[in-house]
Amino acid sequence: MSTQPDRVLIFDTTLRDGEQSPGATMNVEEKLAVARQLARLGVDIIEAGFPFASPGDFEAVQRIAREVGSADGPTICGLARATRSDIEAAARAIEPAAKGRIHTFIATSDIHMQYKLKKSREEVLAITDEMVTFAKGFTDDIEFSPEDAGRSEPAFLYQVLERAIAAGATTVNIPDTVGYLTPSEFGNLIRGIKENVPNIEQAVISVHGHNDLGLAVANFLEAVKNGARQLECTINGIGERAGNAALEELVMAMHVRRQYFNPFFGRAPESEAPLTHINTQEIYKTSRLISNVTGMLVQPNKAIVGANAFAHESGIHQDGVLKNKLTYEIMDAQLIGLNDNQIVLGKHSGRNAFRTRLQELGYELTDQELNKAFLRFKELADKKKEISDRDIEAIVNDETQQVVEHFKLELVQVSCGSNARPTATVSVRTPDGEELMDAAIGTGPVDAVYKAINRVVNIPNDLIEFSVQSVTAGIDAMGEVTIRLRHGDRIYSGHAANTDIVVASSNAYMLALNRLYTAIQAGDTLHPQRDDSRVPAGTGV
Ligand code: KIV
Ligand code: ZN
């Protein structure tokens, strides 16, 4: 009996591979907010993390399993290297989910086996067998990945996959770990697997790929044409190095070009049945959420979710679009949930109007969050006549950030100008409840503020990125500041919006410092693919 679905399953790994991007670390509350949004987006499987990495990662996966993994919700998956301790941790973390999956992996390319694992092919085959069987003892839903499949010897790869399926893997995932393959090579790899792994019909073929050569999405589409029925992807394409295949690009490519893809699913070209279960209207909001919580900005020309993706700058294009949208547009912006950024509220709008608009935009706030957001809205309405959906979104994102405020900025004051030396005074409440005040001179007002804050907080760090963007057009617009700072080999981000960009810059900096402080308190996190410490002798990787 074939277990291949008649559509593509979307496996979102924003919370696992995405979170492995430098600086994209999220705390438990943020991961939960992302998981809830991924459920609204309609992904089939959420890879919620690598539970063995740290107590914080374990807790995040467990809470997502409990709070998002309902019977009609997505399957919740935990990553595990092919070791007993990793698999046990993943099994315990996903246990509360109605549908839970363990995803275990081991490298199969010669270069990885020789230098990283220091294991022979026979040993890797035996570990695959033993660890998939072990995982199967916890749940029926087992995914197995031969890491670096793209550079593995095909005949050996077929053998490993056959063993994994025989031991109980229900999904076999084919990673192009280093983003090396071209589309036709990836397509051929999937076809080769279909033709040469005798028990392949007992498992769903999945693909996972990195974007080092900018080919991940094209590779996946070729894989789909050759029989892949699960795509592992991330929102905005975030992930290790150049990132993963972007969910929004894959989904919209298959939606806009469904007449082209339908025959590969045995459907008539004109079939209107969707090829994924994604609610495309949630794409834009999900993209903004991920950008805000990770501090990873979306490039303006990014396909589907970039600020320019639906903007028509040239006169000829604008003229054509006004006459008939289809002259230069292959999809409607509303399909991804992008509205026209209408002016919706103003100074006289009350709490009810605010709450109603939030609901229309799909935000579910607790009473406490709503109160804080409404206060911010009122403050903004005093300064800015017309409040758009983008303003509301910026306020909500600001007020619902879940960063523990170890250090609290009580006051920031700057003096600057053409003939003045930029000077800042700050007052910060420390974790002990003490209020400390200090001042500094800088090259500009923001530099002065950051120097003054550093004198109080006293955690060494290097500011490696600072960006300001206007939320809407107009001189009274809010500025959104995103910063990234480095401490040791880790990167932390902060994001804040305000009509005063010095205040926004100060708040973004405090958020990044508080994330850094939380991380110092929590201790180290293990990297699933690079770090082989804390592996019990004799098993697996
Ligand atoms: O890129 C990769 O190979 C991975 C595996 C853990 C699936 O992320
Ligand atoms: Zn990966």
Side-chain angles (χ1 to χ4, degrees):
M1 188 196 71
S2 170
T3 49
Q4 301 295 319
D6 68 346
R7 64 175 171 98
V8 163
L9 303 173
I10 297 294
F11 177 110
D12 182 279
T13 183
T14 306
L15 291 170
R16 198 279 297 169
D17 210 317
E19 213 224 3
Q20 287 173 214
S21 335
T25 316
M26 297 170 240
N27 64 35
V28 176
E29 297 301 331
E30 288 167 336
K31 287 183 184 173
L32 261 169
V34 169
R36 288 200 183 97
Q37 181 55 30
L38 290 173
R40 281 193 283 271
L41 179 65
V43 307
D44 298 283
I45 302 112
I46 295 178
E47 186 163 52
F50 172 41
F52 189 73
S54 70
D57 287 69
F58 180 91
E59 187 196 340
V61 178
Q62 193 177 47
R63 282 192 60 195
I64 291 169
R66 186 175 300 130
E67 295 174 38
V68 186
S70 60
D72 56 351
T75 297
I76 308 299
C77 174
L79 182 73
R81 294 168 301 177
T83 71
R84 285 179 189 267
S85 37
D86 272 36
I87 291 170
E88 269 162 5
R92 275 191 294 120
I94 59 156
E95 210 190 330
K99 292 171 283 175
R101 172 180 297 188
I102 297 173
H103 175 192
T104 187
F105 72 99
I106 188 163
T108 52
S109 64
D110 288 338
I111 187 165
H112 274 232
M113 289 187 293
Q114 184 179 347
Y115 294 103
K116 179 174 115 160
L117 301 182
K118 299 183 177 57
K119 299 229 181 280
S120 67
R121 289 185 174 189
E122 288 64 39
E123 285 172 302
V124 166
L125 273 170
I127 292 168
T128 300
D129 199 343
E130 185 189 337
M131 290 303 137
V132 173
T133 307
F134 181 63
K136 197 76 179 173
F138 298 99
T139 169
D140 266 350
D141 190 348
I142 303 297
E143 173 166 330
F144 171 77
S145 291
E147 190 190 9
D148 204 17
R151 293 189 299 171
S152 300
E153 206 246 316
F156 176 60
L157 184 63
Y158 304 151
Q159 268 185 300
V160 176
L161 294 175
E162 185 182 355
R163 280 280 190 106
I165 296 169
T170 42
T171 300
V172 285
N173 178 47
I174 312 303
D176 181 14
T177 303
V178 291
Y180 181 70
L181 299 184
T182 64
S184 60
E185 286 172 333
F186 206 35
N188 289 341
L189 177 64
I190 303 304
R191 205 181 48 247
I193 288 168
K194 274 201 87 132
E195 286 169 0
N196 293 289
V197 177
N199 50 3
I200 195 67
E201 285 304 318
Q202 293 166 31
V204 173
I205 301 180
S206 166
V207 286
H208 179 108
H210 287 266
N211 210 21
D212 300 66
L213 296 175
L215 296 173
V217 169
N219 284 352
F220 277 28
L221 295 176
E222 214 47 38
V224 165
K225 286 162 60 182
N226 286 282
R229 289 296 176 263
Q230 175 179 286
L231 305 182
E232 299 204 354
C233 43
T234 60
I235 304 296
N236 299 339
I238 67 169
E240 283 280 359
R241 305 183 309 280
N244 289 70
L247 180 149
E248 62 279 5
E249 294 177 22
L250 291 163
V251 168
M252 291 314 289
M254 282 187 292
H255 179 77
V256 173
R257 300 302 312 277
R258 54 191 181 278
Q259 295 203 342
Y260 172 79
F261 286 103
N262 275 336
F264 297 101
F265 291 78
R267 303 176 181 186
E270 63 280 5
S271 166
E272 284 298 323
L275 287 171
T276 71
H277 276 182
I278 293 296
N279 174 5
T280 62
Q281 304 264 342
E282 293 289 328
I283 286 180
Y284 181 69
K285 190 147 67 85
T286 316
S287 162
R288 296 287 314 160
L289 175 68
I290 299 304
S291 175
N292 288 339
V293 295
T294 60
M296 298 193 65
L297 298 176
V298 174
Q299 77 200 54
N301 59 326
K302 163 87 177 63
I304 316 294
V305 290
N308 294 350
F310 293 92
H312 296 280
E313 205 53 62
S314 98
I316 301 172
H317 284 206
Q318 284 175 355
D319 181 56
V321 170
L322 286 177
K323 286 178 180 142
N324 182 338
K325 274 190 168 190
L326 295 180
T327 49
Y328 286 98
E329 267 184 22
I330 58 165
M331 60 194 146
D332 193 327
Q334 288 182 0
L335 253 181
I336 63 151
L338 197 62
N339 59 35
D340 294 337
N341 203 22
Q342 324 102 317
I343 291 137
V344 284
L345 298 175
K347 197 177 160 119
H348 301 294
S349 310
R351 204 185 152 81
N352 247 343
F354 182 65
R355 188 208 309 263
T356 308
R357 190 61 198 149
L358 283 178
Q359 280 163 354
E360 283 164 5
L361 291 173
Y363 289 106
E364 290 165 31
L365 266 54
T366 61
D367 283 348
Q368 205 191 358
E369 285 169 343
L370 182 73
N371 289 344
K372 278 166 69 188
F374 185 63
L375 274 180
R376 277 288 302 279
F377 162 74
K378 278 298 193 191
E379 267 170 41
L380 183 63
D382 276 340
K383 295 182 189 151
K384 193 173 183 284
K385 235 171 57 211
E386 297 161 332
I387 311 261
S388 70
D389 287 344
R390 278 290 283 114
D391 291 316
I392 295 179
E393 186 193 74
I395 292 176
V396 172
N397 281 324
D398 242 25
E399 291 307 324
T400 54
Q401 290 194 61
Q402 311 276 4
V403 181
V404 182
E405 235 180 352
H406 306 284
F407 294 95
K408 186 170 189 300
L409 186 66
E410 300 284 4
L411 170 139
V412 56
Q413 195 178 312
V414 293
S415 137
C416 58
S418 58
N419 287 320
R421 300 192 71 186
T423 312
T425 308
V426 299
S427 165
V428 174
R429 192 169 295 282
T430 67
D432 317 325
E434 207 182 341
E435 194 170 332
L436 299 178
M437 196 170 251
D438 217 320
I441 296 173
T443 51
V446 174
D447 184 46
V449 170
Y450 286 11
K451 285 194 169 120
I453 292 174
N454 281 343
R455 289 168 70 97
V456 176
V457 172
N458 205 15
I459 306 176
N461 71 80
D462 294 316
L463 184 68
I464 55 168
E465 200 177 306
F466 174 85
S467 97
V468 189
Q469 279 181 326
S470 166
V471 172
T472 53
I475 193 71
D476 58 355
M478 281 203 284
E480 266 181 316
V481 175
T482 305
I483 66 134
R484 280 147 73 79
L485 52 85
R486 191 195 302 276
H487 171 84
D489 60 353
R490 294 279 163 106
I491 296 171
Y492 303 87
S493 68
H495 172 96
N498 201 289
T499 47
D500 182 328
I501 61 159
V502 173
V503 174
S505 306
S506 318
N507 290 344
Y509 194 54
M510 292 308 293
L511 281 164
L513 286 174
N514 278 318
R515 279 181 199 279
L516 161 53
Y517 191 77
T518 303
I520 291 175
Q521 286 185 315
D524 252 5
T525 300
L526 196 65
H527 187 290
Q529 289 163 278
R530 284 198 291 267
D531 196 340
D532 58 2
S533 59
R534 282 194 272 156
V535 175
T539 51
V541 184

